[in-house]
Structure formats: structure tokens, C-alpha cells
Amino acid sequence: MNTEPAPRWRRLEPDERKEQIYACAARLFGDRPYSEVSTSDIAAAAGVARGLINHYFGTKRELYLEIIRRALTVPRLAVEILPDGPLELRADVAIEWFLDMVTSQERMWLAAIAPEGIGRDLEVERILEEADRESADRVLEAVGLSSESDHGPELNALVRAFGGMVKAAGREWLVRGSLTRDQVHLLLSKSLVTLVGEVFPAIRAVPPAPRQGRE
């Protein structure tokens, strides 16, 4: 006979509750179009009052934009976990981390790279651009470079262009099934090594063009 006391629900701390709401919302937005998800749906999935969503995130739109931002921005942790070693090793680990991240939130990531449900308005475009720029800065940091250097804007732009291929490869893998994860890993890791090892030095050997401000 089991004499252990029945488990009690643990009261979540505010940060934990906020992350729970975020995770439930991300899952719902990944499964259904933006217009078909209500704050009531999110509240029910998270087991909270609807007012708590407004307290933590504001409107449904603001929550959705935050989900897009986080889904497409490479966090600093991704750089901190990279091992010391040659470029090939660091690129391999970085791409493996990225593919794991995409796998863990596949539907939301796909929705975030083409957020059709909310419309491509100026605020969405700004968030997408900021996420791309910040993620590119993380990649430069991972290989010991900075977007604040003389050629920083060009290097950041090159990484953003690489990011376009990353998204396209992700769709080929996750949506069309025309590439396997291993093939995408090989494509992205080899391309990143070539970008950093060959393209970057060639770009840095050319004097940067005068700039009137960052575009």
C-alpha cells in the first residue's frame, strides 16, 4: 500500500509563471494562425487568469512580437557554451546548438521566420531586423570579431546574408523534407567556416567605404 502523501502543486515563482505563459503561447501560435489564438486560449493552456497575461506581456500582439523576437535572436548563452578550439569545431558545435534549438520549437520558429498571421507591418519588420542584427553580432563574437570594427557593418551584413540561407535550409529540412538534419548541419557548418575563414579576410583586406551612419 502506498503511504506516501499525495503530491502538492508547487506555487510557481513569477518568473516561472511568466515562462510558462510564454511557452504555452509559443506552442499555440506555432500550431494555429495568429488570428485564431486568443488570450483566453493562452490563459486556459497555461492555467492562469487572462489578466495575468496582460500583466506580464501586455496585449496579445505584444506577446506575439516578444515570441518572434526570442525565437529568432541568438542568445549570449549560445556563444558562452562554445568550446575552445579550431574554427571548424566551434562552427560544428554552434550549428548543432542551433539545430537543437530549432527542433525544440519547430513550429514557432517556422512561424517566426514568416509571420504572415499578424501582417508584415513596420513593427514586425523592425523586430525581424533587430533579431537578425543581434544574432549576427553573436556570430561575430563567437569567432572573435566585432561589428564595431572598421569592417563591422560589412561583416554583420555578410552574417545576415548567411542567416537567409539558414532560414531557407531550415524550410527545406522541416517543411519540404528535401534535406535531412545531417545534410543541413553539413551545409551550414561548412558554409560558416568558409565565410569566416575565407570571405571575411578578403573583405577586411579592402578599405571600407565611407559611411554616414549605420543602415
Side-chain angles (χ1 to χ4, degrees):
M1 180 177 179
N2 186 0
T3 59
E4 293 183 3
R8 296 180 179 179
W9 291 108
R10 182 171 65 87
R11 183 180 179 85
L12 296 180
E13 296 296 326
D15 286 348
E16 293 177 305
R17 181 67 72 189
K18 182 177 180 180
E19 286 304 306
Q20 180 188 36
I21 294 171
Y22 174 90
C24 291
R27 176 175 56 79
L28 290 175
F29 284 130
D31 288 343
R32 286 144 52 184
Y34 172 83
S35 60
E36 295 181 10
V37 178
S38 68
T39 51
S40 295
D41 294 332
I42 298 169
V48 301
R50 189 171 61 179
L52 199 58
I53 297 175
N54 301 127
H55 172 71
Y56 284 131
F57 298 99
T59 64
K60 182 183 83 166
R61 172 187 168 85
E62 289 172 319
L63 173 55
Y64 183 74
L65 294 177
E66 175 63 18
I67 289 171
I68 291 177
R69 182 182 294 107
R70 287 176 56 173
L72 296 182
T73 302
V74 175
R76 186 168 297 278
L77 173 65
V79 177
E80 295 173 348
I81 64 173
L82 293 180
D84 294 329
L87 173 60
E88 290 78 6
L89 173 62
R90 292 172 67 83
D92 185 75
V93 172
I95 296 302
E96 184 69 13
W97 175 91
F98 171 76
L99 296 179
D100 284 344
M101 182 275 293
V102 169
T103 300
S104 69
Q105 54 175 350
E106 174 181 332
R107 292 182 179 177
M108 189 60 238
W109 185 79
L110 289 171
I113 63 175
E116 299 171 355
I118 196 172
R120 300 300 295 272
D121 61 23
L122 291 178
E123 189 171 10
V124 172
E125 293 291 349
R126 177 182 60 79
I127 287 174
L128 294 174
E129 182 175 352
E130 288 178 353
D132 285 347
R133 287 187 182 278
E134 185 173 342
S135 296
D137 282 345
R138 291 282 188 272
V139 173
L140 292 175
E141 182 182 349
V143 297
L145 297 172
S146 171
S147 60
E148 301 301 321
S149 63
D150 288 343
H151 285 281
E154 288 95 338
L155 299 184
N156 187 283
L158 288 170
V159 176
R160 297 200 313 271
F162 170 73
M165 184 179 71
V166 170
K167 294 170 186 176
R171 284 191 290 266
E172 294 296 337
W173 163 38
L174 299 171
V175 178
R176 301 183 179 92
S178 51
L179 293 174
T180 66
R181 171 173 170 150
D182 288 344
Q183 290 171 330
V184 171
H185 186 126
L186 182 64
L187 168 65
L188 298 183
S189 60
K190 293 293 186 183
S191 297
L192 182 57
V193 169
T194 300
L195 181 67
V196 176
E198 298 182 25
V199 179
F200 280 6
I203 292 293
R204 295 169 72 190
V206 179
R211 296 182 181 277
Q212 297 179 349
R214 190 175 187 179
E215 296 180 356

